[in-house]
Amino acid sequence: MEATIPLLKVDSVGIRFGGLKAVSDVNVELFPGELVGLIGPNGAGKTTFFNLLTGVYVPTEGTIALNGENLKKQPPYKITRKGISRTFQNIRLFSELSVIDNVKVAYHSLAKHAIVSSIFRLSGHFSGEKDMDEKALEFLRIFNLDHFKDEKAKNLPYGQQRRLEIARALAANPKLLLLDEPAAGMNPHETKELMNLIAFIRKEFNLTVLLIEHDMSLVMGVCERIYVLDHGQLIAHGKPGEIRNDPKVIEAYLGEEVL
Amino acid sequence: MTTLKNSKGFWLSIVLALIFFGIMQFSISSGMLNPFYINTLMFIGINIMLATSLHLIIGITGQFSIGHAGFLAVGAYASAVMTMKLELPFIIAILAGGIIAAAAGMVIGIPSLRLKGDYLAIATLGFGEIVRIVLLNIEYVGGASGMQVSHLTTWPWVFACVMITVIVIRNFTNSTHGRACISVREDETAADAMGINTTYYKVAAFVIGAFFAGVAGSLYAHNFYIIQPSNFGFLKSFDILIFVVLGGLGSLSGSVLAAILLTIVTTFLQDYPETRMIIYSLVLILMMIFRPQGLMGTREISTLFTHKKTKGGKKDGSHNTVA
Ligand SMILES: Nc1ncnc2c1ncn2[C@@H]1O[C@H](COP(=O)(O)OP(=O)(O)OP(=O)(O)O)[C@@H](O)[C@H]1O
Ligand SMILES: [Mg+2]
């Protein structure tokens, strides 16, 4: 960990649903350019933590700050515009829209033409749409999806849908990219390709990445640091080597032959 | 490339529409078309406006609104007050009908920020009924016995308003703003996560949709000699809803097509209201069985001609709900 200021600072954040403390007292700091893993058994609260970071849920305790700015009570779309974007554990593409339109939706907040300009087809509409077209195609090329651009998103093979979701998240111009089990359901070859891709975009776009992943060898292989959640609490945090040998982590995963 | 093709088709359809306008205008002024057919023509135009404006709210933005007759009523009465009470020109009345209905759209759009699905449907249904009952109790506009209106709606007015409605809705839909609305329909959580101000676009859809329903209301009112609150009941909302559903949710040309077909069917069955209800129900049942996606599905007429018949991607299209 460098001595720079953190991009994301999560300070004793928690949320309860009725009597259930889904996440409690979680402290996380992410520094610019890092690739960090978030692991934990099923139901540990990983996805809930992402929902807290992106404003889907409002924390019942603690604070979240991006670049020193408190995100309290900001709606999700504003948090995205401030620089956190994500993918979902259950793919949530705009399935009736074409592949390229999915990416364009994410690029929407960067578009400059107003509704009036589009309705009356003023020049701003055409230049704005052209710019979006070009930008979106650029993202699709990086993900090798450009030859599918006019296909409906729902008609893509599963692995490509996952990639499209990442492309879309990237088009929202994030500083911090949250990936919720991006390799779920992929075969080993696809997974390996995906990990190379994540490493590439992280360099190319100067991203910080927080990655939830079940495939332990994968997380250990690519992440520089790892946080471990269990029953909503952080039970360990450190370098992959330290995590692998942490007795608490081994206990949490007991019975799951993954380590 | 594709945009060029689309805009070619766009100009072609405008030219065709203008030719159609000319032919109709000639037939009307030369007395070839009898008043019954002229009236049918007016109704087709008005219903196209109603169908396409509701299409924007339901088919594009996915907000299941079933009180569209409420906006029609607001537009009808607002414009009638303009011409009959304030003696303003018809063009002002048409605009006022649209603007006041749009304001009502904003009012009903606000609860849609919080309500989803069935709850929104019930709220919009309630809105439609409230409008009707309020009108019923305002003496200024004649209460239950209704309001006298002069016959000002002519074919050129209807044609111009239909063209403007369809073009504006098409242009809105085929832009980043329309995509934002579709993203709300497809997955609101994801739209939010992609930086779309979902509330803003829901309200925008309601406001634009209500505006054109209000304009349609102005034409509707001035096509009669009298308007009454009972013209704008739930059944009217239901008729408009059917255009959109039958045409195919999400297809603008589908809405237009359904509005034309059903208006013609309705006109010819005018004297047999029971038969009409039976035929309507039958059509709907058959539709749900054989073509639940509607006449056009989500496609547009323009794509029917350009699309090749290679549809091989079905094999891998079915796992989108794993994980
Ligand atoms: N909206 C909600 N209301 C009530 N309980 C919830 C809600 N969201 C999550 N939970 C609960 O919070 C806990 C954590 O769930 P979460 O989805 O965050 O786990 P996870 O670590 O992502 O698990 P997995 O590895 O299976 O994806 C679970 O017990 C879940 O049932
Ligand atoms: Mg999860």
Side-chain angles (χ1 to χ4, degrees), chain B residues 3-45:
Chain B
T3 49
L4 195 74
K5 229 185 250 162
N6 280 348
S7 68
K8 248 188 205 160
F10 173 69
W11 289 112
L12 184 69
S13 39
I14 295 225
V15 169
L16 287 177
L18 284 172
I19 293 174
F20 178 73
F21 167 75
I23 295 173
M24 284 302 146
Q25 181 59 21
F26 176 75
S27 321
I28 293 170
S29 52
S30 67
M32 261 156 42
L33 213 60
N34 76 36
F36 178 76
Y37 290 115
I38 295 176
N39 209 38
T40 307
L41 193 61
M42 303 291 197
F43 270 120
I44 289 175

Short mmCIF file of all heavy atoms in Angstrom, two decimals, chain B residues 3-45:
data_model
loop_
_atom_site.label_atom_id
_atom_site.label_comp_id
_atom_site.label_asym_id
_atom_site.label_seq_id
_atom_site.Cartn_x
_atom_site.Cartn_y
_atom_site.Cartn_z
N THR B 3 -28.13 4.24 -40.53
CA THR B 3 -28.90 5.46 -40.28
C THR B 3 -29.31 6.10 -41.60
O THR B 3 -30.39 6.66 -41.72
CB THR B 3 -28.10 6.48 -39.44
OG1 THR B 3 -26.82 6.62 -40.04
CG2 THR B 3 -27.98 6.03 -38.01
N LEU B 4 -28.42 5.98 -42.59
CA LEU B 4 -28.74 6.53 -43.90
C LEU B 4 -29.95 5.81 -44.48
O LEU B 4 -30.88 6.42 -44.97
CB LEU B 4 -27.53 6.39 -44.83
CG LEU B 4 -27.60 7.23 -46.09
CD1 LEU B 4 -27.35 8.69 -45.77
CD2 LEU B 4 -26.58 6.74 -47.11
N LYS B 5 -29.91 4.48 -44.39
CA LYS B 5 -31.02 3.67 -44.89
C LYS B 5 -32.32 4.08 -44.18
O LYS B 5 -33.33 4.30 -44.81
CB LYS B 5 -30.72 2.19 -44.63
CG LYS B 5 -30.92 1.32 -45.88
CD LYS B 5 -30.71 -0.13 -45.52
CE LYS B 5 -29.45 -0.69 -46.13
NZ LYS B 5 -29.01 -1.92 -45.48
N ASN B 6 -32.22 4.18 -42.84
CA ASN B 6 -33.40 4.54 -42.06
C ASN B 6 -33.96 5.88 -42.50
O ASN B 6 -35.15 6.05 -42.64
CB ASN B 6 -33.05 4.61 -40.57
CG ASN B 6 -33.03 3.22 -39.98
OD1 ASN B 6 -33.47 2.28 -40.61
ND2 ASN B 6 -32.49 3.10 -38.78
N SER B 7 -33.06 6.87 -42.72
CA SER B 7 -33.57 8.19 -43.02
C SER B 7 -34.16 8.21 -44.43
O SER B 7 -35.08 8.96 -44.70
CB SER B 7 -32.49 9.26 -42.82
OG SER B 7 -31.51 9.12 -43.80
N LYS B 8 -33.64 7.36 -45.32
CA LYS B 8 -34.25 7.24 -46.64
C LYS B 8 -35.69 6.75 -46.50
O LYS B 8 -36.61 7.32 -47.07
CB LYS B 8 -33.47 6.25 -47.50
CG LYS B 8 -32.75 6.91 -48.66
CD LYS B 8 -32.16 5.83 -49.57
CE LYS B 8 -30.98 6.33 -50.34
NZ LYS B 8 -30.14 5.24 -50.84
N GLY B 9 -35.86 5.69 -45.73
CA GLY B 9 -37.20 5.16 -45.49
C GLY B 9 -38.09 6.20 -44.86
O GLY B 9 -39.28 6.32 -45.18
N PHE B 10 -37.50 7.00 -43.98
CA PHE B 10 -38.24 8.05 -43.28
C PHE B 10 -38.80 9.07 -44.28
O PHE B 10 -39.98 9.38 -44.28
CB PHE B 10 -37.30 8.72 -42.27
CG PHE B 10 -37.88 9.93 -41.61
CD1 PHE B 10 -38.91 9.79 -40.70
CD2 PHE B 10 -37.38 11.19 -41.87
CE1 PHE B 10 -39.44 10.90 -40.06
CE2 PHE B 10 -37.90 12.30 -41.24
CZ PHE B 10 -38.94 12.16 -40.34
N TRP B 11 -37.93 9.54 -45.17
CA TRP B 11 -38.38 10.54 -46.15
C TRP B 11 -39.38 9.94 -47.12
O TRP B 11 -40.34 10.59 -47.53
CB TRP B 11 -37.19 11.14 -46.89
CG TRP B 11 -36.40 12.04 -45.99
CD1 TRP B 11 -35.14 11.83 -45.51
CD2 TRP B 11 -36.84 13.27 -45.39
NE1 TRP B 11 -34.76 12.85 -44.66
CE2 TRP B 11 -35.79 13.75 -44.57
CE3 TRP B 11 -38.03 14.01 -45.48
CZ2 TRP B 11 -35.89 14.93 -43.84
CZ3 TRP B 11 -38.11 15.19 -44.74
CH2 TRP B 11 -37.05 15.64 -43.94
N LEU B 12 -39.15 8.67 -47.45
CA LEU B 12 -40.08 8.00 -48.35
C LEU B 12 -41.48 7.96 -47.73
O LEU B 12 -42.48 8.27 -48.38
CB LEU B 12 -39.59 6.57 -48.64
CG LEU B 12 -40.43 5.79 -49.64
CD1 LEU B 12 -40.29 6.37 -51.03
CD2 LEU B 12 -40.04 4.31 -49.65
N SER B 13 -41.53 7.60 -46.43
CA SER B 13 -42.86 7.51 -45.81
C SER B 13 -43.49 8.88 -45.67
O SER B 13 -44.72 9.01 -45.73
CB SER B 13 -42.79 6.78 -44.46
OG SER B 13 -41.66 7.14 -43.75
N ILE B 14 -42.67 9.91 -45.50
CA ILE B 14 -43.24 11.27 -45.44
C ILE B 14 -43.87 11.64 -46.79
O ILE B 14 -44.98 12.17 -46.85
CB ILE B 14 -42.16 12.30 -45.07
CG1 ILE B 14 -41.69 12.00 -43.65
CG2 ILE B 14 -42.69 13.72 -45.22
CD1 ILE B 14 -41.55 13.17 -42.74
N VAL B 15 -43.15 11.31 -47.86
CA VAL B 15 -43.68 11.61 -49.19
C VAL B 15 -44.99 10.85 -49.43
O VAL B 15 -45.99 11.42 -49.87
CB VAL B 15 -42.64 11.27 -50.29
CG1 VAL B 15 -43.28 11.32 -51.67
CG2 VAL B 15 -41.46 12.22 -50.21
N LEU B 16 -44.99 9.57 -49.07
CA LEU B 16 -46.20 8.76 -49.23
C LEU B 16 -47.35 9.36 -48.43
O LEU B 16 -48.48 9.46 -48.92
CB LEU B 16 -45.95 7.32 -48.78
CG LEU B 16 -45.08 6.48 -49.72
CD1 LEU B 16 -44.85 5.10 -49.13
CD2 LEU B 16 -45.73 6.38 -51.09
N ALA B 17 -47.05 9.79 -47.20
CA ALA B 17 -48.08 10.36 -46.35
C ALA B 17 -48.64 11.63 -46.99
O ALA B 17 -49.86 11.86 -46.97
CB ALA B 17 -47.52 10.66 -44.96
N LEU B 18 -47.75 12.44 -47.57
CA LEU B 18 -48.22 13.69 -48.19
C LEU B 18 -49.10 13.39 -49.40
O LEU B 18 -50.11 14.08 -49.62
CB LEU B 18 -47.02 14.55 -48.60
CG LEU B 18 -46.35 15.28 -47.42
CD1 LEU B 18 -45.06 15.96 -47.87
CD2 LEU B 18 -47.31 16.30 -46.79
N ILE B 19 -48.72 12.36 -50.16
CA ILE B 19 -49.56 11.98 -51.30
C ILE B 19 -50.94 11.54 -50.81
O ILE B 19 -51.97 11.95 -51.34
CB ILE B 19 -48.88 10.85 -52.11
CG1 ILE B 19 -47.61 11.40 -52.78
CG2 ILE B 19 -49.83 10.28 -53.16
CD1 ILE B 19 -46.77 10.36 -53.48
N PHE B 20 -50.92 10.73 -49.76
CA PHE B 20 -52.18 10.27 -49.17
C PHE B 20 -53.02 11.47 -48.72
O PHE B 20 -54.23 11.53 -48.98
CB PHE B 20 -51.88 9.35 -47.98
CG PHE B 20 -53.11 8.88 -47.26
CD1 PHE B 20 -53.95 7.92 -47.83
CD2 PHE B 20 -53.43 9.37 -46.01
CE1 PHE B 20 -55.08 7.49 -47.17
CE2 PHE B 20 -54.56 8.93 -45.33
CZ PHE B 20 -55.39 8.00 -45.92
N PHE B 21 -52.33 12.43 -48.07
CA PHE B 21 -53.03 13.63 -47.62
C PHE B 21 -53.71 14.33 -48.80
O PHE B 21 -54.89 14.69 -48.74
CB PHE B 21 -52.06 14.59 -46.94
CG PHE B 21 -52.64 15.97 -46.72
CD1 PHE B 21 -53.56 16.17 -45.71
CD2 PHE B 21 -52.28 17.04 -47.53
CE1 PHE B 21 -54.12 17.42 -45.51
CE2 PHE B 21 -52.84 18.29 -47.33
CZ PHE B 21 -53.75 18.48 -46.32
N GLY B 22 -52.96 14.50 -49.90
CA GLY B 22 -53.48 15.19 -51.07
C GLY B 22 -54.71 14.49 -51.64
O GLY B 22 -55.73 15.13 -51.92
N ILE B 23 -54.61 13.18 -51.77
CA ILE B 23 -55.73 12.40 -52.32
C ILE B 23 -56.97 12.57 -51.46
O ILE B 23 -58.07 12.85 -51.94
CB ILE B 23 -55.35 10.91 -52.44
CG1 ILE B 23 -54.22 10.75 -53.46
CG2 ILE B 23 -56.57 10.07 -52.84
CD1 ILE B 23 -53.67 9.34 -53.52
N MET B 24 -56.77 12.45 -50.14
CA MET B 24 -57.90 12.57 -49.22
C MET B 24 -58.49 13.97 -49.27
O MET B 24 -59.72 14.14 -49.30
CB MET B 24 -57.45 12.25 -47.79
CG MET B 24 -57.25 10.78 -47.55
SD MET B 24 -58.79 9.89 -47.88
CE MET B 24 -58.18 8.36 -48.51
N GLN B 25 -57.60 14.95 -49.27
CA GLN B 25 -58.06 16.33 -49.28
C GLN B 25 -58.90 16.59 -50.53
O GLN B 25 -59.95 17.21 -50.47
CB GLN B 25 -56.85 17.27 -49.22
CG GLN B 25 -57.19 18.75 -49.18
CD GLN B 25 -58.06 19.12 -47.97
OE1 GLN B 25 -58.10 18.40 -46.97
NE2 GLN B 25 -58.78 20.23 -48.06
N PHE B 26 -58.42 16.06 -51.65
CA PHE B 26 -59.15 16.23 -52.91
C PHE B 26 -60.51 15.54 -52.83
O PHE B 26 -61.54 16.12 -53.18
CB PHE B 26 -58.33 15.67 -54.08
CG PHE B 26 -59.06 15.73 -55.39
CD1 PHE B 26 -59.22 16.94 -56.06
CD2 PHE B 26 -59.63 14.58 -55.94
CE1 PHE B 26 -59.90 17.00 -57.25
CE2 PHE B 26 -60.32 14.64 -57.14
CZ PHE B 26 -60.46 15.86 -57.80
N SER B 27 -60.51 14.30 -52.32
CA SER B 27 -61.77 13.56 -52.24
C SER B 27 -62.77 14.26 -51.33
O SER B 27 -63.97 14.26 -51.59
CB SER B 27 -61.55 12.14 -51.70
OG SER B 27 -60.38 11.59 -52.19
N ILE B 28 -62.25 14.86 -50.25
CA ILE B 28 -63.16 15.53 -49.32
C ILE B 28 -63.72 16.79 -49.96
O ILE B 28 -64.94 17.02 -49.97
CB ILE B 28 -62.44 15.88 -48.00
CG1 ILE B 28 -62.09 14.60 -47.24
CG2 ILE B 28 -63.31 16.78 -47.13
CD1 ILE B 28 -61.19 14.79 -46.06
N SER B 29 -62.85 17.61 -50.54
CA SER B 29 -63.33 18.91 -51.04
C SER B 29 -64.19 18.75 -52.29
O SER B 29 -65.05 19.57 -52.56
CB SER B 29 -62.15 19.86 -51.30
OG SER B 29 -61.20 19.23 -52.11
N SER B 30 -63.96 17.66 -53.03
CA SER B 30 -64.79 17.47 -54.22
C SER B 30 -66.08 16.72 -53.90
O SER B 30 -66.87 16.46 -54.79
CB SER B 30 -64.00 16.69 -55.27
OG SER B 30 -63.79 15.38 -54.79
N GLY B 31 -66.25 16.37 -52.61
CA GLY B 31 -67.49 15.73 -52.20
C GLY B 31 -67.58 14.25 -52.54
O GLY B 31 -68.63 13.63 -52.41
N MET B 32 -66.43 13.66 -52.95
CA MET B 32 -66.44 12.24 -53.29
C MET B 32 -66.57 11.34 -52.05
O MET B 32 -67.11 10.24 -52.12
CB MET B 32 -65.15 11.86 -54.03
CG MET B 32 -65.35 11.80 -55.54
SD MET B 32 -63.81 12.06 -56.46
CE MET B 32 -62.61 11.14 -55.58
N LEU B 33 -66.02 11.84 -50.96
CA LEU B 33 -66.02 11.04 -49.73
C LEU B 33 -67.23 11.46 -48.89
O LEU B 33 -67.39 12.64 -48.59
CB LEU B 33 -64.73 11.32 -48.96
CG LEU B 33 -64.11 10.19 -48.16
CD1 LEU B 33 -63.77 9.02 -49.07
CD2 LEU B 33 -62.86 10.69 -47.46
N ASN B 34 -68.08 10.50 -48.52
CA ASN B 34 -69.24 10.92 -47.74
C ASN B 34 -68.86 11.14 -46.28
O ASN B 34 -67.82 10.69 -45.81
CB ASN B 34 -70.40 9.94 -47.92
CG ASN B 34 -70.19 8.64 -47.15
OD1 ASN B 34 -69.64 8.66 -46.05
ND2 ASN B 34 -70.62 7.54 -47.72
N PRO B 35 -69.69 11.90 -45.57
CA PRO B 35 -69.35 12.32 -44.21
C PRO B 35 -69.00 11.16 -43.28
O PRO B 35 -68.14 11.31 -42.39
CB PRO B 35 -70.62 13.03 -43.73
CG PRO B 35 -71.28 13.49 -44.98
CD PRO B 35 -70.96 12.48 -46.03
N PHE B 36 -69.61 10.01 -43.51
CA PHE B 36 -69.32 8.85 -42.67
C PHE B 36 -67.84 8.45 -42.78
O PHE B 36 -67.15 8.24 -41.79
CB PHE B 36 -70.22 7.68 -43.09
CG PHE B 36 -69.97 6.42 -42.33
CD1 PHE B 36 -70.42 6.28 -41.02
CD2 PHE B 36 -69.26 5.37 -42.91
CE1 PHE B 36 -70.20 5.10 -40.32
CE2 PHE B 36 -69.03 4.20 -42.20
CZ PHE B 36 -69.50 4.07 -40.91
N TYR B 37 -67.34 8.41 -44.01
CA TYR B 37 -65.94 8.05 -44.21
C TYR B 37 -65.00 9.15 -43.73
O TYR B 37 -63.93 8.88 -43.18
CB TYR B 37 -65.67 7.73 -45.68
CG TYR B 37 -66.31 6.44 -46.12
CD1 TYR B 37 -67.33 6.42 -47.07
CD2 TYR B 37 -65.90 5.23 -45.56
CE1 TYR B 37 -67.93 5.23 -47.45
CE2 TYR B 37 -66.50 4.03 -45.93
CZ TYR B 37 -67.51 4.04 -46.88
OH TYR B 37 -68.10 2.87 -47.24
N ILE B 38 -65.42 10.38 -43.92
CA ILE B 38 -64.58 11.49 -43.44
C ILE B 38 -64.42 11.39 -41.93
O ILE B 38 -63.33 11.50 -41.39
CB ILE B 38 -65.22 12.86 -43.80
CG1 ILE B 38 -65.25 13.03 -45.31
CG2 ILE B 38 -64.43 14.00 -43.16
CD1 ILE B 38 -65.94 14.29 -45.78
N ASN B 39 -65.53 11.11 -41.27
CA ASN B 39 -65.49 10.99 -39.82
C ASN B 39 -64.59 9.83 -39.38
O ASN B 39 -63.82 9.95 -38.44
CB ASN B 39 -66.92 10.80 -39.29
CG ASN B 39 -67.05 11.35 -37.91
OD1 ASN B 39 -66.46 12.39 -37.61
ND2 ASN B 39 -67.79 10.66 -37.06
N THR B 40 -64.69 8.72 -40.12
CA THR B 40 -63.81 7.58 -39.81
C THR B 40 -62.35 7.99 -39.94
O THR B 40 -61.52 7.65 -39.10
CB THR B 40 -64.11 6.41 -40.77
OG1 THR B 40 -65.50 6.14 -40.73
CG2 THR B 40 -63.33 5.19 -40.38
N LEU B 41 -62.08 8.73 -40.98
CA LEU B 41 -60.71 9.20 -41.22
C LEU B 41 -60.20 10.03 -40.03
O LEU B 41 -59.08 9.86 -39.55
CB LEU B 41 -60.71 10.02 -42.50
CG LEU B 41 -59.37 10.36 -43.12
CD1 LEU B 41 -58.63 9.08 -43.50
CD2 LEU B 41 -59.56 11.25 -44.34
N MET B 42 -61.06 10.94 -39.55
CA MET B 42 -60.69 11.78 -38.40
C MET B 42 -60.39 10.91 -37.19
O MET B 42 -59.43 11.14 -36.47
CB MET B 42 -61.84 12.72 -38.04
CG MET B 42 -62.30 13.60 -39.17
SD MET B 42 -61.05 14.82 -39.57
CE MET B 42 -62.07 15.95 -40.49
N PHE B 43 -61.27 9.92 -37.00
CA PHE B 43 -61.08 9.06 -35.82
C PHE B 43 -59.81 8.25 -35.92
O PHE B 43 -59.10 8.05 -34.93
CB PHE B 43 -62.28 8.14 -35.63
CG PHE B 43 -63.33 8.76 -34.77
CD1 PHE B 43 -64.61 8.98 -35.24
CD2 PHE B 43 -63.01 9.16 -33.48
CE1 PHE B 43 -65.57 9.59 -34.45
CE2 PHE B 43 -63.95 9.76 -32.68
CZ PHE B 43 -65.24 9.97 -33.17
N ILE B 44 -59.51 7.80 -37.13
CA ILE B 44 -58.26 7.06 -37.30
C ILE B 44 -57.08 7.94 -36.89
O ILE B 44 -56.21 7.52 -36.13
CB ILE B 44 -58.10 6.58 -38.77
CG1 ILE B 44 -59.10 5.46 -39.05
CG2 ILE B 44 -56.68 6.10 -39.02
CD1 ILE B 44 -59.11 4.98 -40.49
N GLY B 45 -57.09 9.18 -37.37
CA GLY B 45 -56.00 10.10 -37.02
C GLY B 45 -55.89 10.31 -35.52
O GLY B 45 -54.81 10.21 -34.94
#
